[in-house]
mmCIF file of all heavy atoms in Angstrom:
data_model
loop_
_atom_site.group_PDB
_atom_site.id
_atom_site.type_symbol
_atom_site.label_atom_id
_atom_site.label_comp_id
_atom_site.label_asym_id
_atom_site.label_seq_id
_atom_site.Cartn_x
_atom_site.Cartn_y
_atom_site.Cartn_z
ATOM 1 N N THR A 1 0.835 -1.199 0.000
ATOM 2 C CA THR A 1 0.000 0.000 0.000
ATOM 3 C C THR A 1 0.869 1.248 0.000
ATOM 4 O O THR A 1 0.605 2.209 -0.739
ATOM 5 C CB THR A 1 -0.924 0.009 1.226
ATOM 6 O OG1 THR A 1 -1.760 -1.150 1.193
ATOM 7 C CG2 THR A 1 -1.790 1.258 1.243
ATOM 8 N N LEU A 2 1.927 1.243 0.819
ATOM 9 C CA LEU A 2 2.870 2.356 0.816
ATOM 10 C C LEU A 2 3.509 2.526 -0.560
ATOM 11 O O LEU A 2 3.713 3.655 -1.034
ATOM 12 C CB LEU A 2 3.972 2.123 1.861
ATOM 13 C CG LEU A 2 3.565 2.265 3.330
ATOM 14 C CD1 LEU A 2 4.747 1.900 4.240
ATOM 15 C CD2 LEU A 2 3.118 3.697 3.626
ATOM 16 N N LEU A 3 3.807 1.402 -1.184
ATOM 17 C CA LEU A 3 4.410 1.443 -2.508
ATOM 18 C C LEU A 3 3.459 2.067 -3.524
ATOM 19 O O LEU A 3 3.843 2.922 -4.326
ATOM 20 C CB LEU A 3 4.789 0.022 -2.943
ATOM 21 C CG LEU A 3 5.468 -0.142 -4.303
ATOM 22 C CD1 LEU A 3 6.775 0.628 -4.350
ATOM 23 C CD2 LEU A 3 5.720 -1.618 -4.590
ATOM 24 N N ALA A 4 2.205 1.646 -3.494
ATOM 25 C CA ALA A 4 1.210 2.186 -4.429
ATOM 26 C C ALA A 4 1.001 3.680 -4.205
ATOM 27 O O ALA A 4 0.891 4.464 -5.158
ATOM 28 C CB ALA A 4 -0.107 1.434 -4.278
ATOM 29 N N GLN A 5 0.970 4.090 -2.950
ATOM 30 C CA GLN A 5 0.797 5.511 -2.648
ATOM 31 C C GLN A 5 1.996 6.323 -3.123
ATOM 32 O O GLN A 5 1.862 7.455 -3.594
ATOM 33 C CB GLN A 5 0.588 5.701 -1.144
ATOM 34 C CG GLN A 5 -0.742 5.146 -0.651
ATOM 35 C CD GLN A 5 -0.866 5.159 0.860
ATOM 36 O OE1 GLN A 5 0.119 5.382 1.586
ATOM 37 N NE2 GLN A 5 -2.073 4.916 1.361
ATOM 38 N N GLY A 6 3.181 5.729 -3.006
ATOM 39 C CA GLY A 6 4.382 6.396 -3.504
ATOM 40 C C GLY A 6 4.346 6.550 -5.014
ATOM 41 O O GLY A 6 4.740 7.598 -5.559
ATOM 42 N N LEU A 7 3.864 5.521 -5.701
ATOM 43 C CA LEU A 7 3.772 5.581 -7.158
ATOM 44 C C LEU A 7 2.767 6.635 -7.607
ATOM 45 O O LEU A 7 2.951 7.275 -8.654
ATOM 46 C CB LEU A 7 3.360 4.209 -7.708
ATOM 47 C CG LEU A 7 4.385 3.076 -7.549
ATOM 48 C CD1 LEU A 7 3.769 1.757 -8.003
ATOM 49 C CD2 LEU A 7 5.640 3.368 -8.349
ATOM 50 N N ASP A 8 1.731 6.822 -6.821
ATOM 51 C CA ASP A 8 0.700 7.802 -7.176
ATOM 52 C C ASP A 8 1.270 9.218 -7.233
ATOM 53 O O ASP A 8 0.753 10.073 -7.956
ATOM 54 C CB ASP A 8 -0.441 7.721 -6.157
ATOM 55 C CG ASP A 8 -1.601 8.644 -6.509
ATOM 56 O OD1 ASP A 8 -2.002 8.648 -7.687
ATOM 57 O OD2 ASP A 8 -2.094 9.350 -5.614
ATOM 58 N N LYS A 9 2.344 9.451 -6.493
ATOM 59 C CA LYS A 9 2.936 10.787 -6.438
ATOM 60 C C LYS A 9 3.746 11.116 -7.689
ATOM 61 O O LYS A 9 4.234 12.230 -7.846
ATOM 62 C CB LYS A 9 3.818 10.911 -5.201
ATOM 63 C CG LYS A 9 3.030 10.794 -3.890
ATOM 64 C CD LYS A 9 3.948 10.863 -2.679
ATOM 65 C CE LYS A 9 3.144 10.702 -1.393
ATOM 66 N NZ LYS A 9 4.014 10.716 -0.179
ATOM 67 N N MET A 10 3.913 10.143 -8.576
ATOM 68 C CA MET A 10 4.674 10.385 -9.800
ATOM 69 C C MET A 10 3.972 11.377 -10.719
ATOM 70 O O MET A 10 4.624 12.032 -11.527
ATOM 71 C CB MET A 10 4.895 9.064 -10.551
ATOM 72 C CG MET A 10 5.858 8.125 -9.853
ATOM 73 S SD MET A 10 6.123 6.630 -10.830
ATOM 74 C CE MET A 10 7.422 5.842 -9.862
ATOM 75 N N GLY A 11 2.632 11.414 -10.621
ATOM 76 C CA GLY A 11 1.914 12.403 -11.420
ATOM 77 C C GLY A 11 1.441 11.889 -12.761
ATOM 78 O O GLY A 11 0.333 12.195 -13.180
ATOM 79 N N ASN A 12 2.238 11.134 -13.476
ATOM 80 C CA ASN A 12 1.869 10.610 -14.784
ATOM 81 C C ASN A 12 1.383 9.176 -14.636
ATOM 82 O O ASN A 12 2.158 8.297 -14.255
ATOM 83 C CB ASN A 12 3.076 10.671 -15.736
ATOM 84 C CG ASN A 12 2.699 10.295 -17.161
ATOM 85 O OD1 ASN A 12 2.081 9.275 -17.405
ATOM 86 N ND2 ASN A 12 3.087 11.147 -18.104
ATOM 87 N N PHE A 13 0.104 8.926 -14.930
ATOM 88 C CA PHE A 13 -0.448 7.596 -14.669
ATOM 89 C C PHE A 13 0.131 6.532 -15.601
ATOM 90 O O PHE A 13 0.160 5.359 -15.265
ATOM 91 C CB PHE A 13 -1.977 7.610 -14.743
ATOM 92 C CG PHE A 13 -2.541 7.795 -16.122
ATOM 93 C CD1 PHE A 13 -2.751 6.701 -16.945
ATOM 94 C CD2 PHE A 13 -2.873 9.057 -16.581
ATOM 95 C CE1 PHE A 13 -3.278 6.856 -18.213
ATOM 96 C CE2 PHE A 13 -3.408 9.217 -17.849
ATOM 97 C CZ PHE A 13 -3.606 8.118 -18.671
ATOM 98 N N TYR A 14 0.599 6.933 -16.777
ATOM 99 C CA TYR A 14 1.244 5.962 -17.661
ATOM 100 C C TYR A 14 2.517 5.418 -17.000
ATOM 101 O O TYR A 14 2.787 4.209 -17.024
ATOM 102 C CB TYR A 14 1.615 6.605 -19.001
ATOM 103 C CG TYR A 14 0.438 6.914 -19.899
ATOM 104 C CD1 TYR A 14 0.178 8.216 -20.321
ATOM 105 C CD2 TYR A 14 -0.421 5.908 -20.335
ATOM 106 C CE1 TYR A 14 -0.894 8.515 -21.148
ATOM 107 C CE2 TYR A 14 -1.504 6.193 -21.163
ATOM 108 C CZ TYR A 14 -1.731 7.491 -21.562
ATOM 109 O OH TYR A 14 -2.797 7.773 -22.391
ATOM 110 N N VAL A 15 3.293 6.320 -16.410
ATOM 111 C CA VAL A 15 4.519 5.913 -15.719
ATOM 112 C C VAL A 15 4.177 5.058 -14.502
ATOM 113 O O VAL A 15 4.833 4.053 -14.226
ATOM 114 C CB VAL A 15 5.347 7.151 -15.299
ATOM 115 C CG1 VAL A 15 6.578 6.724 -14.489
ATOM 116 C CG2 VAL A 15 5.773 7.949 -16.520
ATOM 117 N N THR A 16 3.124 5.447 -13.780
ATOM 118 C CA THR A 16 2.688 4.671 -12.609
ATOM 119 C C THR A 16 2.374 3.235 -12.998
ATOM 120 O O THR A 16 2.827 2.284 -12.354
ATOM 121 C CB THR A 16 1.447 5.319 -11.970
ATOM 122 O OG1 THR A 16 1.760 6.647 -11.556
ATOM 123 C CG2 THR A 16 0.975 4.501 -10.775
ATOM 124 N N ASP A 17 1.607 3.057 -14.071
ATOM 125 C CA ASP A 17 1.246 1.709 -14.519
ATOM 126 C C ASP A 17 2.476 0.926 -14.970
ATOM 127 O O ASP A 17 2.592 -0.276 -14.705
ATOM 128 C CB ASP A 17 0.236 1.793 -15.668
ATOM 129 C CG ASP A 17 -1.171 2.115 -15.189
ATOM 130 O OD1 ASP A 17 -1.421 1.942 -13.983
ATOM 131 O OD2 ASP A 17 -2.008 2.533 -16.001
ATOM 132 N N LEU A 18 3.391 1.600 -15.674
ATOM 133 C CA LEU A 18 4.615 0.934 -16.129
ATOM 134 C C LEU A 18 5.431 0.413 -14.957
ATOM 135 O O LEU A 18 5.952 -0.708 -14.986
ATOM 136 C CB LEU A 18 5.467 1.890 -16.970
ATOM 137 C CG LEU A 18 5.141 1.995 -18.460
ATOM 138 C CD1 LEU A 18 5.956 3.109 -19.091
ATOM 139 C CD2 LEU A 18 5.423 0.672 -19.166
ATOM 140 N N VAL A 19 5.544 1.221 -13.915
ATOM 141 C CA VAL A 19 6.315 0.815 -12.740
ATOM 142 C C VAL A 19 5.608 -0.326 -12.001
ATOM 143 O O VAL A 19 6.243 -1.279 -11.546
ATOM 144 C CB VAL A 19 6.561 2.010 -11.799
ATOM 145 C CG1 VAL A 19 7.261 1.562 -10.519
ATOM 146 C CG2 VAL A 19 7.397 3.074 -12.500
ATOM 147 N N ILE A 20 4.277 -0.256 -11.886
ATOM 148 C CA ILE A 20 3.523 -1.342 -11.251
ATOM 149 C C ILE A 20 3.768 -2.646 -12.005
ATOM 150 O O ILE A 20 3.970 -3.705 -11.408
ATOM 151 C CB ILE A 20 2.016 -1.018 -11.203
ATOM 152 C CG1 ILE A 20 1.742 0.087 -10.179
ATOM 153 C CG2 ILE A 20 1.199 -2.271 -10.843
ATOM 154 C CD1 ILE A 20 0.304 0.560 -10.135
ATOM 155 N N GLY A 21 3.757 -2.578 -13.340
ATOM 156 C CA GLY A 21 4.016 -3.761 -14.151
ATOM 157 C C GLY A 21 5.396 -4.333 -13.916
ATOM 158 O O GLY A 21 5.564 -5.550 -13.777
ATOM 159 N N ALA A 22 6.394 -3.453 -13.864
ATOM 160 C CA ALA A 22 7.770 -3.913 -13.629
ATOM 161 C C ALA A 22 7.901 -4.516 -12.227
ATOM 162 O O ALA A 22 8.560 -5.544 -12.044
ATOM 163 C CB ALA A 22 8.742 -2.751 -13.800
ATOM 164 N N LEU A 23 7.270 -3.885 -11.245
ATOM 165 C CA LEU A 23 7.327 -4.401 -9.872
ATOM 166 C C LEU A 23 6.617 -5.743 -9.738
ATOM 167 O O LEU A 23 6.954 -6.545 -8.868
ATOM 168 C CB LEU A 23 6.712 -3.388 -8.908
ATOM 169 C CG LEU A 23 7.533 -2.124 -8.644
ATOM 170 C CD1 LEU A 23 6.723 -1.127 -7.831
ATOM 171 C CD2 LEU A 23 8.839 -2.466 -7.926
ATOM 172 N N SER A 24 5.646 -6.006 -10.616
ATOM 173 C CA SER A 24 4.917 -7.266 -10.534
ATOM 174 C C SER A 24 5.791 -8.451 -10.911
ATOM 175 O O SER A 24 5.399 -9.601 -10.715
ATOM 176 C CB SER A 24 3.678 -7.235 -11.439
ATOM 177 O OG SER A 24 4.025 -7.291 -12.800
ATOM 178 N N SER A 25 6.990 -8.185 -11.449
ATOM 179 C CA SER A 25 7.938 -9.272 -11.704
ATOM 180 C C SER A 25 8.690 -9.662 -10.436
ATOM 181 O O SER A 25 9.376 -10.686 -10.409
ATOM 182 C CB SER A 25 8.936 -8.858 -12.797
ATOM 183 O OG SER A 25 9.786 -7.815 -12.351
ATOM 184 N N ILE A 26 8.565 -8.852 -9.405
ATOM 185 C CA ILE A 26 9.252 -9.115 -8.139
ATOM 186 C C ILE A 26 8.267 -9.576 -7.074
ATOM 187 O O ILE A 26 8.505 -10.543 -6.352
ATOM 188 C CB ILE A 26 10.005 -7.859 -7.647
ATOM 189 C CG1 ILE A 26 11.030 -7.418 -8.707
ATOM 190 C CG2 ILE A 26 10.693 -8.123 -6.312
ATOM 191 C CD1 ILE A 26 11.714 -6.114 -8.375
ATOM 192 N N VAL A 27 7.161 -8.865 -6.962
ATOM 193 C CA VAL A 27 6.123 -9.242 -6.004
ATOM 194 C C VAL A 27 4.845 -9.534 -6.763
ATOM 195 O O VAL A 27 4.690 -9.155 -7.920
ATOM 196 C CB VAL A 27 5.882 -8.135 -4.949
ATOM 197 C CG1 VAL A 27 7.112 -7.936 -4.099
ATOM 198 C CG2 VAL A 27 5.473 -6.827 -5.619
#
């Protein structure tokens, strides 16, 4: 949840989704 909230602060939702996708290879 902390991670998702941190990603939300990036501002650009395309970048947020890209990072979530990359992180899904780890968790």
Side-chain angles (χ1 to χ4, degrees):
T1 300
L2 288 176
L3 181 60
Q5 292 172 348
L7 293 174
D8 184 46
K9 296 178 182 178
M10 290 183 174
N12 187 309
F13 70 87
Y14 288 121
V15 176
T16 300
D17 283 342
L18 275 173
V19 175
I20 288 175
L23 288 172
S24 72
S25 67
I26 301 174
V27 296

